[in-house]
Amino acid sequence: MSIPYNHRAIEQKWRKNWEEHPINVNDGKKEKYYCLDMFPYPSGNGLHVGHWRGYVISDVWSRYKLMHGHYVIHPMGWDAFGLPAENYAIKMGIHPSKSTAENVKNIKRQIQEIAAIYDWDMEVNTTDPDFYKWTQWIFVKMFKKGLAYEKEMPINWCPSCKTGLANEEVVNGKCERCGADVTKKNLKQWMLKITAYADRLLADLDKLDWPEKVKKMQTDWIGKSYGAEVDFKVEGKEESITVYTTRPDTLYGATFMVLAPEHELAKGLATDETRNAVEDYIYKSSLKSSVDRLQDKEKTGVFTGSYAINPLNNAKVPIWLSDYVLADYGTGAIMCVPAHDDRDFEFAKKFDLPIIQVIAKDGKEIENMTEAYTEASGTMINSGEWDGMESSVLKREAPAMIEKRGFGKKTTNYKLRDWVFSRQRYWGEPIPIVHCKDCGAVPVPEEELPLLLPDVDSYQPTGTGESPLADIEDWVNTTCPKCGKAAKRETNTMPQWAGSSWYFLRYVDSKNDKELVSREKADKYLPVDMYIGGVEHAVLHLLYSRFYTKFLCDIGVIDFDEPFTKLFNQGMITGKNGIKMSKSKGNVVSPDDLVRDYGCDSLRLYELFVGPPELDSEWDDRGIEGVYRFITRFWNLVMENKDKNVPETKELVKARHKLVYDITNRLESFSLNTVISGFMEHNNKLIDMSRKGGVDKKTLEVFVQLLAPFAPHISEELWEELGHKESVFHCGWPEYDEKAMEEEEIEIAVQVNGKTRAVVTIPKDAAKEEAVAKGKEALGDKLTGNIIKEIYVPGKIINIVAK
RNA sequence: GCCCGCGUGGCGGAACUGGCAGACGCGCAGGACUUAAAAUCCUGUUGUGGUGACACAGUACCGGUUCGAUUCCGGUCGCGGGCACCA
């Protein structure tokens, strides 16, 4: 009896061995491959089996690249600033610097259990001053380029987290972190001008090998639209109001105009009769939260008393105010064409405003219109000189026509807003700005960075719109770097996304104290070739990182403008019935026990076997038994055959090539669950062959090589058992020969009218006559009626059509 | 409301460009070994009918294209996700 499989001893042995003899070494000659995980924030709850999956996927891919002779950059770090870490610290009553350090330690231990080939020399932590020095440095650079600016405006405010939020952090009117209803608060904020990059962020999506879903989400988020700005004169006044529309073709149908209550002209348009009502409406709107505004089912509004003149036909249209028009999109004012827009139609019906149809539906005017006709297709009617034109054509041409006639211009708009970058919280990078009475906002000189986050006892958020830093007088009070007079520090901190927007650049030169990253190393090791993480960051981290990368490229720090060449989103692991794993639900499965009982190798395989890596999968502990059985059976197979000197048979060679073919192709297409089932299937076949006469050594070796990225410990052990001195990871990836796996005879289904009635064995490239004859023979008396047609697709099917 | 994606056994899931539906695994049932159990091994496992070879039905539902459809097309229902008054 040979040695039984002992995962504990084997895994311990190889962990130690890899530590002493690293397998992924940069010799300066190998081609680099950068495979990156989205770095975790150090949560106090530790890792569950769901976190494992992403890390296993990336490690399998990294080891696969390693076996192809690459030097693999596969780092790990900590996204340790920000709300999650701080909220946890507040809850536990431990200072965030302390709780964060503890959590990092614990999670690092757990991550090491995965046995990934992480290069811990590269490790970064966003809360490390040597790291956030450069986070602040980027901010200063942006400030100097005019991309960071201060603005007082109503921003999204989470009353629970007591901080302002970026647009991207508000999901369905709720805080992305805590789920509380988001309100509006008027605050002076630092903003990043991400909108300056809107066009490039949109256009460059084409360059990326990313899931279509994520590209689409970013496209929609950027939300580029094409249309025109049209100027309407206000009757009896000097002013004119500019509206933005994507449907200038419907200009003749504009029967009224609506301004956002916050529009700068709103108040001034009121007449003596309407003044009270108008001011009342503006005041009430200002009190409404964004959630209220969204949830209002009925449209509200007030007539200003003023009229505008449609520049096309000089029609007089009433000007209304309504909060369904957004102040910060387009011009904050719209022309309303109730016949061809749902919202305008609703508003017109409610306030009894005229409706003029300008596009014919099915060639005619609609009687008793009950809903807006929103298609841009049909012939123009009631539109003066435009009558008879096709609306879709006019929609395209109208902006230029309007521009030519001098009452507007062709333009585009984006849904993307500038990034609210201030947080009224303690646990973040201090914004390196000094406010001076004379010089205004002055950046902290670059040589004085990092601007350290002061240590405080009271780090709870104040809720007043001021950061806790505002209370630390000897920190706040400073001198102006420009004029030397007394000045005050900016007390807001940066959002969690600041560090994560560029951390991937730092790994390859993490100890550089002169530069963010040396240009030499950046050119050599960047960008990221493969990025693996959850889809939840589609419009947050992934958009911000692209923006940062483009900026850093523009100022010459790096020479590429897209950070992540290829992106893979792994699905979530959930508990029973697809319920998200959480402590409160009590359905969290910790990897620790499973590693102890079944071993790291088994858990790695099972993480992949549960389902397609890109889809969510329900965790079921029992399934790991099957994987453990496979590993044990494979172990036994190798142990029984390794010293038997079994000669290679044709059948064994065929099986070997088929094995390499299956595993390689499935791995290349990221079908990792079927890679594992492929291993199992081939293992079963080999066990069968082993009983019939044995399995040759070469086949066993190839199997071990293929298994290595997935189950590294057992593979190294068996590789050694097979007589090798060198690590299996340095012995290349096996190749297959399609000719070698071809069968001379194949089984082929014989159908009658498309239904399988028999299976015959025929030569692989049998001629039609032969195949059909054999098929008919096999069918025997199952074939009745007159034969109408005989179909033979070599290698696929024989189908006899009979009546 | 708009835009994506998905519906396959008791369960997780296979089926590459249309070609034997249900690979692989879990679970379950039966058997071998054992005093017994665990572990291990073997057999069976979509449903209905039949002792049986076999027959019929079957990939959410209805219809279409095709010699042939889980796969392509049209419609319906259900589930999940994104956006949500962006003019």
Side-chain angles (χ1 to χ4, degrees):
Chain A
M1 189 59 203
S2 54
I3 320 155
Y5 172 54
N6 178 342
H7 67 259
R8 251 169 268 187
I10 293 169
E11 292 182 1
Q12 254 176 35
K13 170 181 165 185
W14 288 100
R15 258 356 128 76
K16 193 158 168 271
N17 192 297
W18 290 326
E19 218 166 281
E20 287 161 5
H21 312 281
I23 52 172
N24 179 36
V25 192
N26 182 15
D27 64 359
K29 282 179 240 144
K30 290 183 225 165
E31 199 186 328
K32 70 98 186 180
Y33 190 90
Y34 190 170
C35 180
L36 180 66
D37 289 287
M38 289 184 185
F39 67 162
Y41 75 85
S43 138
N45 299 326
L47 298 185
H48 59 65
V49 289
H51 300 108
W52 254 65
R53 177 146 87 157
Y55 303 143
V56 170
I57 293 169
S58 71
D59 189 55
V60 164
W61 195 248
S62 297
R63 286 176 184 267
Y64 177 58
K65 291 292 171 186
L66 173 62
M67 290 178 79
H68 278 90
H70 287 94
Y71 161 54
V72 180
I73 300 160
H74 191 44
M76 183 47 81
W78 314 101
D79 188 14
F81 265 141
L83 281 178
E86 187 177 357
N87 285 346
Y88 175 82
I90 290 168
K91 199 171 132 199
M92 307 306 276
I94 311 169
H95 193 281
S97 63
K98 211 170 159 193
S99 66
T100 298
E102 278 169 18
N103 294 344
V104 164
K105 204 173 148 200
N106 182 44
I107 294 187
K108 188 167 176 180
R109 177 193 60 78
Q110 283 190 305
I111 285 184
Q112 282 169 331
E113 287 296 302
I114 295 167
I117 52 168
Y118 291 124
D119 185 343
W120 291 104
D121 288 341
M122 293 180 170
E123 182 175 357
V124 299
N125 184 324
T126 53
T127 64
D128 182 346
D130 291 336
F131 181 91
Y132 73 70
K133 169 181 178 174
W134 299 105
T135 310
Q136 291 173 329
W137 182 84
I138 297 170
F139 183 88
V140 169
K141 289 288 180 197
M142 285 192 177
F143 177 82
K144 289 178 177 169
K145 291 275 176 195
L147 290 169
Y149 65 96
E150 244 185 326
K151 190 178 176 191
E152 178 160 341
M153 57 179 261
I155 56 145
N156 300 305
W157 174 264
C158 174
S160 163
C161 295
K162 296 175 180 161
T163 185
L165 298 173
N167 238 16
E168 288 79 9
E169 291 171 307
V170 183
V171 180
N172 290 326
K174 295 185 192 302
C175 170
E176 186 248 351
R177 285 272 53 116
C178 71
D181 283 346
V182 171
T183 58
K184 287 274 176 189
K185 196 177 177 103
N186 222 25
L187 274 185
K188 198 166 186 189
Q189 296 287 307
W190 281 97
M191 310 282 293
L192 294 189
K193 211 175 200 167
I194 189 170
T195 53
Y197 285 78
D199 248 332
R200 284 167 69 187
L201 288 168
L202 181 67
D204 290 348
L205 284 171
D206 281 345
K207 297 202 271 193
L208 302 176
D209 184 4
W210 282 22
E212 285 308 314
K213 186 187 167 179
V214 176
K215 289 201 209 180
K216 196 178 176 307
M217 280 169 74
Q218 292 210 355
T219 304
D220 291 349
W221 190 261
I222 296 166
K224 186 173 187 174
S225 69
Y226 302 84
E229 283 182 3
V230 185
D231 304 323
F232 283 62
K233 284 220 167 68
V234 180
E235 188 194 43
K237 293 205 170 145
E238 286 299 302
E239 293 116 344
S240 64
I241 298 169
T242 304
V243 302
Y244 171 70
T245 179
T246 55
R247 295 295 304 276
D249 53 315
T250 63
L251 191 47
Y252 272 98
T255 53
F256 58 101
M257 179 185 270
V258 176
L259 270 56
E262 299 88 352
H263 195 282
E264 52 175 5
L265 295 178
K267 251 184 199 164
L269 291 169
T271 59
D272 292 342
E273 296 86 63
T274 60
R275 185 152 293 120
N276 283 344
V278 166
E279 283 178 4
D280 186 51
Y281 187 80
I282 293 173
Y283 176 68
K284 279 189 180 146
S285 301
S286 72
L287 297 180
K288 278 194 197 172
S289 70
S290 54
V291 186
D292 295 336
R293 264 171 98 144
L294 268 171
Q295 280 168 352
D296 278 343
K297 291 205 176 76
E298 281 270 305
K299 294 232 177 325
T300 60
V302 66
F303 176 49
T304 60
S306 295
Y307 291 84
I309 306 297
N310 186 330
L312 204 54
N313 58 0
N314 293 319
K316 205 169 114 173
V317 297
I319 305 173
W320 286 65
L321 302 183
S322 175
D323 62 11
Y324 84 88
V325 174
L326 305 174
D328 58 352
Y329 180 77
T331 60
I334 59 168
M335 66 173 209
C336 295
V337 186
H340 304 288
D341 182 279
D342 290 326
R343 295 148 303 180
D344 299 348
F345 184 85
E346 195 191 327
F347 195 84
K349 278 286 172 199
K350 172 142 189 208
F351 295 104
D352 203 22
L353 293 155
I355 298 169
I356 299 173
Q357 190 181 344
V358 292
I359 302 169
K361 187 191 180 189
D362 306 322
K364 50 184 186 281
E365 202 156 341
I366 302 163
E367 285 173 49
N368 298 322
M369 206 178 231
T370 53
E371 56 175 8
Y373 175 62
T374 56
E375 303 286 315
S377 75
T379 311
M380 301 308 300
I381 52 172
N382 301 324
S383 293
E385 74 274 24
W386 288 349
D387 275 354
M389 284 185 77
E390 171 58 35
S391 73
S392 57
V393 175
L394 181 57
K395 183 179 174 223
R396 239 183 5 251
E397 292 176 359
M401 290 159 77
I402 286 165
E403 194 166 319
K404 208 170 167 191
R405 292 179 58 175
F407 52 81
K409 62 176 187 191
K410 191 173 173 173
T411 182
T412 53
N413 252 307
Y414 299 90
K415 288 190 198 178
L416 184 71
R417 310 293 151 90
D418 276 343
W419 178 4
V420 174
F421 202 66
S422 307
R423 296 294 177 275
Q424 292 70 45
R425 298 283 295 217
Y426 170 68
W427 195 236
E429 302 85 349
I431 292 178
I433 290 285
V434 172
H435 295 281
C436 171
K437 269 195 190 114
D438 297 332
C439 313
V442 180
V444 172
E446 286 171 29
E447 58 276 14
E448 284 177 28
L449 297 176
L451 171 61
L452 293 177
L453 178 66
D455 198 15
V456 293
D457 298 328
S458 171
Y459 47 83
Q460 277 79 4
T462 62
T464 59
E466 287 237 61
S467 145
L469 294 181
D471 286 340
I472 314 170
E473 286 194 14
D474 58 351
W475 186 79
V476 172
N477 291 314
T478 183
T479 51
C480 173
K482 211 167 171 182
C483 69
K485 284 186 209 146
K488 287 192 186 300
R489 286 195 190 282
E490 167 68 43
T491 57
N492 283 327
T493 54
M494 297 187 195
Q496 186 185 7
W497 315 106
S500 60
S501 293
W502 71 278
Y503 75 105
F504 44 88
L505 305 173
R506 183 69 179 170
Y507 279 132
V508 300
D509 199 6
S510 61
K511 295 183 178 64
N512 191 335
D513 57 1
K514 303 272 182 309
E515 297 154 294
L516 186 155
V517 58
S518 82
R519 184 57 187 268
E520 187 206 340
K521 287 194 174 161
D523 288 348
K524 200 161 165 190
Y525 299 123
L526 299 171
V528 174
D529 295 290
M530 170 67 96
Y531 198 24
I532 293 174
V535 75
E536 64 272 16
H537 293 116
V539 289
L540 288 156
H541 162 61
L542 289 173
L543 189 65
Y544 296 150
S545 299
R546 295 183 59 223
F547 164 48
Y548 265 55
T549 302
K550 288 184 188 306
F551 172 71
L552 292 170
C553 177
D554 288 353
I555 64 169
V557 174
I558 49 178
D559 194 33
F560 52 90
D561 67 350
E562 280 295 340
F564 315 121
T565 309
K566 190 175 166 72
L567 173 71
F568 182 81
N569 290 128
Q570 92 268 15
M572 207 177 24
I573 297 273
T574 68
K576 260 267 153 282
N577 302 319
I579 298 164
K580 200 173 170 177
M581 281 191 187
S582 76
K583 227 177 178 180
S584 59
K585 299 252 168 50
N587 62 352
V588 174
V589 181
S590 160
D592 297 4
D593 296 350
L594 295 168
V595 169
R596 190 194 59 220
D597 296 343
Y598 299 96
C600 169
D601 284 340
S602 289
L603 184 55
R604 286 171 63 107
L605 292 180
Y606 187 55
E607 290 277 356
L608 304 175
F609 188 58
V610 278
E614 69 280 10
L615 300 182
D616 292 353
S617 295
E618 283 180 28
W619 188 264
D620 182 354
D621 265 351
R622 285 179 301 192
I624 197 172
E625 295 272 1
V627 161
Y628 185 76
R629 270 177 214 137
F630 152 68
I631 285 209
T632 311
R633 281 154 52 100
F634 178 63
W635 170 272
N636 294 335
L637 174 78
V638 176
M639 287 312 213
E640 276 161 29
N641 285 279
K642 69 184 174 93
D643 298 321
K644 281 211 298 208
N645 286 319
V646 179
E648 283 185 13
T649 62
K650 229 176 172 180
E651 208 191 350
L652 280 163
V653 172
K654 226 179 262 175
R656 184 201 304 155
H657 284 275
K658 186 78 173 58
L659 169 69
V660 179
Y661 175 87
D662 279 350
I663 300 303
T664 307
N665 284 306
R666 292 173 190 190
L667 179 50
E668 282 287 342
S669 57
F670 248 72
S671 179
L672 303 177
N673 53 328
T674 63
V675 168
I676 311 303
S677 55
F679 279 133
M680 290 170 168
E681 191 183 349
H682 284 282
N683 188 43
N684 291 344
K685 277 186 198 152
L686 292 179
I687 288 171
D688 195 46
M689 287 169 147
S690 172
R691 284 184 191 129
K692 283 176 182 153
V695 177
D696 66 288
K697 197 170 162 190
K698 179 78 191 162
T699 300
L700 297 174
E701 285 177 339
V702 161
F703 201 122
V704 169
Q705 282 173 287
L706 296 171
L707 188 63
F710 300 87
H713 309 88
I714 190 177
S715 302
E716 286 277 38
E717 181 69 16
L718 289 175
W719 191 245
E720 191 179 74
E721 287 286 347
L722 285 162
H724 296 274
K725 296 274 180 288
E726 210 183 341
S727 165
V728 67
F729 292 98
H730 295 155
C731 295
W733 190 254
E735 289 183 359
Y736 60 86
D737 178 358
E738 289 202 44
K739 282 206 188 86
M741 48 188 242
E742 275 174 8
E743 306 275 346
E744 296 86 42
E745 298 212 303
I746 52 154
E747 288 198 333
I748 189 166
V750 186
Q751 300 183 330
V752 178
N753 298 330
K755 289 192 176 168
T756 303
R757 291 292 170 223
V759 175
V760 286
T761 305
I762 56 167
K764 189 185 146 286
D765 39 15
K768 183 170 178 182
E769 294 75 33
E770 188 191 355
V772 172
K774 283 233 172 132
K776 282 183 188 164
E777 194 187 319
L779 288 170
D781 50 8
K782 279 181 209 157
L783 183 60
T784 53
N786 298 320
I787 295 167
I788 294 166
K789 206 173 174 184
E790 289 160 345
I791 289 155
Y792 171 56
V793 183
K796 304 258 183 184
I797 205 82
I798 298 167
N799 189 13
I800 314 285
V801 187
K803 228 176 193 171

